[in-house]
């Protein structure tokens, strides 16, 4: 029996027991769904009497099948973090499954971003994903004002810019859990190597550290998420806080740099100083000692970004809802 009133895509998805994005992909003829899922959606369409919006069909006919991934960074800030490779794997696998071409581009300045926004409009890409945002980055608002479907990897400083369309890890919760673990290990002088203060991820992981301390003494040095930056921050902390007995580093790369400095200074890990990183990247089990770290599902986050972008491409009026992926502590030998 058909539903009363004009059936919606949400009702089709609910009847078929799939996500809204999956229902939309079936309607738009994407091959990135299983035969069973396709049959369930088509059956729901028949039962509800759903008719796709004609304007949306017209838009679909003008699509290029190309989406862009933009890595937005300042000059001099390294792209050496394992995070980039892992999230790119997730994005690449998901775009491949959806039969989309992926265009990868880098920006290094405000002028770069303004030019890129113009180029993406004229090249008529179907959608854009942006990762590694800085505080004053104009690119999301430039893309939003142009009407290009856009999804961010990481919490933006102003979520309203992209109407909540972003995927992130629970950075604050993960950092809090790591620091609380150190407190439970009876560590009394806990420092952190924080990420850049002009990035949301740097701010959120520092916030989690501070929440766990509950007003206790902070020992903070800043790095740039690189191993070299972590080593420099660890050197600074040891000079300022010779009695420190634990360090939470806001990335595995910075934790690896900290381990190198502690070894050079004759500080045993974890006996003298416990060390915890963040990300659970491929380098974490290979450090000496193996790194205790906060796991985030980086590759899965990339796939979720593509899924969110496909929803926006297929229905530009879809309401954006942030996706915050759970984190968890992985105990190894360094803490």
């Amino acid at each position: 029996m058909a539903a009363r009133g004009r059936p919606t895509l949400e009702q089709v998805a609910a009847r078929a027991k799939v996500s809204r994005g999956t229902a939309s992909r079936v309607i738009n003829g994407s091959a990135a769904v299983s035969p069973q899922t396709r049959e369930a959606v088509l059956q729901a369409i028949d039962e509800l009497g759903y008719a796709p919006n004609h304007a949306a069909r017209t838009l679909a006919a003008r699509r290029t099948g190309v989406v862009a991934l933009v890595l937005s960074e300042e000059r001099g800030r390294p792209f050496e973090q394992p995070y980039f490779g892992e999230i790119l794997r997730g994005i690449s696998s998901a775009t491949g499954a959806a039969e989309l071409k992926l265009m990868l581009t880098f920006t290094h300045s405000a002028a770069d971003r303004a030019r890129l926004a113009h180029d993406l409009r004229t090249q008529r890409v179907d959608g854009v994903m942006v990762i590694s945002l800085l505080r004053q980055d104009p690119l999301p608002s430039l893309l939003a004002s142009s009407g290009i479907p856009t999804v961010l990897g990481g919490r933006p400083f102003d979520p309203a810019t992209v109407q909540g369309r972003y995927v992130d890890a629970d950075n604050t919760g993960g950092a809090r859990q790591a620091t609380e673990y150190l407190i439970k290990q009876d560590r009394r002088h806990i420092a952190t190597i924080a990420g850049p203060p002009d990035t949301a991820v740097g701010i959120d992981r520092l916030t989690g550290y501070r929440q766990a301390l509950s007003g206790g003494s902070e020992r903070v040095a800043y790095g740039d998420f690189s191993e070299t930056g972590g080593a420099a921050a660890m050197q600074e902390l040891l000079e300022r806080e010779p009695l420190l007995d634990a360090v939470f580093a806001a990335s595995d790369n910075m934790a690896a740099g900290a381990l190198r400095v502690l070894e050079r200074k004759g500080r045993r890990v974890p006996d003298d100083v416990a060390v915890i990183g963040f990300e659970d990247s491929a380098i974490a089990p290979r450090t000496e000692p193996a790194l205790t770290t906060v796991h985030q599902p980086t590759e899965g986050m990339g796939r979720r970004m593509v899924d969110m972008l496909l929803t926006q491409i297929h229905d530009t009026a879809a309401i954006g809802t942030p996706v915050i992926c759970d984190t968890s502590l992985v105990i190894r030998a360094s803490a």
Side-chain angles (χ1 to χ4, degrees), residues 20-35:
R20 190 182 191 286
T22 298
S24 182
R25 285 196 287 279
V26 172
I27 290 168
N28 285 281
S30 171
V33 290
S34 69

Side-chain angles (χ1 to χ4, degrees), residues 112-325:
D112 278 353
R113 290 163 193 134
R115 284 193 297 269
L116 178 62
H118 174 267
D119 290 345
L120 291 173
R121 286 195 302 270
T122 57
Q123 292 171 13
R124 289 189 51 235
V125 297
D126 293 341
V128 181
M129 293 166 283
V130 184
I131 59 178
S132 195
L133 287 168
L134 300 176
R135 184 185 294 273
Q136 302 298 330
D137 200 325
L139 188 56
S141 60
L142 290 171
L143 293 170
S145 65
S146 70
I148 301 174
T150 301
V151 170
L152 306 185
R155 177 183 67 82
F157 284 92
D158 181 9
T161 300
V162 290
Q163 299 180 328
R165 295 162 185 162
Y166 66 91
V167 177
D168 202 2
D170 183 8
N171 293 301
T172 299
R176 183 174 60 248
Q177 184 179 11
T179 309
E180 287 172 345
Y181 178 82
L182 293 171
I183 293 170
K184 291 175 183 177
Q185 297 299 306
D186 204 29
R187 303 288 174 166
R188 302 299 180 90
H189 306 281
I190 303 171
T192 186
I193 299 175
D198 60 348
T199 63
V201 64
I203 292 171
D204 289 348
R205 292 176 187 175
L206 179 58
T207 296
Y209 163 82
R210 286 172 167 162
Q211 287 179 355
L213 291 181
S214 300
S217 297
E218 298 178 7
R219 300 164 177 86
V220 182
Y222 292 91
D224 59 3
F225 291 129
S226 72
E227 188 170 336
T228 301
M234 187 73 254
Q235 180 71 39
E236 176 188 337
L237 286 169
L238 288 174
E239 291 172 358
R240 281 172 24 205
E241 306 283 348
L243 297 179
L244 71 82
D245 58 5
V247 177
F248 163 60
S251 77
D252 288 349
N253 258 13
M254 295 198 297
L259 289 172
R260 194 173 71 239
V261 171
L262 289 168
E263 180 182 22
R264 189 169 67 241
K265 296 291 186 180
R267 305 290 291 273
R268 297 170 300 164
V269 177
D271 297 11
D272 300 327
V273 181
V275 178
I276 297 180
F278 201 116
E279 283 169 23
D280 194 23
S281 64
I283 68 170
R286 298 202 298 262
T287 60
E288 184 57 44
L291 184 64
T292 294
T293 184
V294 178
H295 173 79
Q296 68 175 18
T298 310
E299 192 168 333
M301 290 162 62
R303 290 191 294 269
R304 297 293 292 273
M305 287 177 65
V306 175
D307 189 60
M308 183 179 288
L309 186 65
L310 286 169
T311 297
Q312 300 304 319
I313 290 171
H314 292 150
D315 183 357
T316 55
I319 298 172
T321 302
V323 173
I324 308 300
C325 299

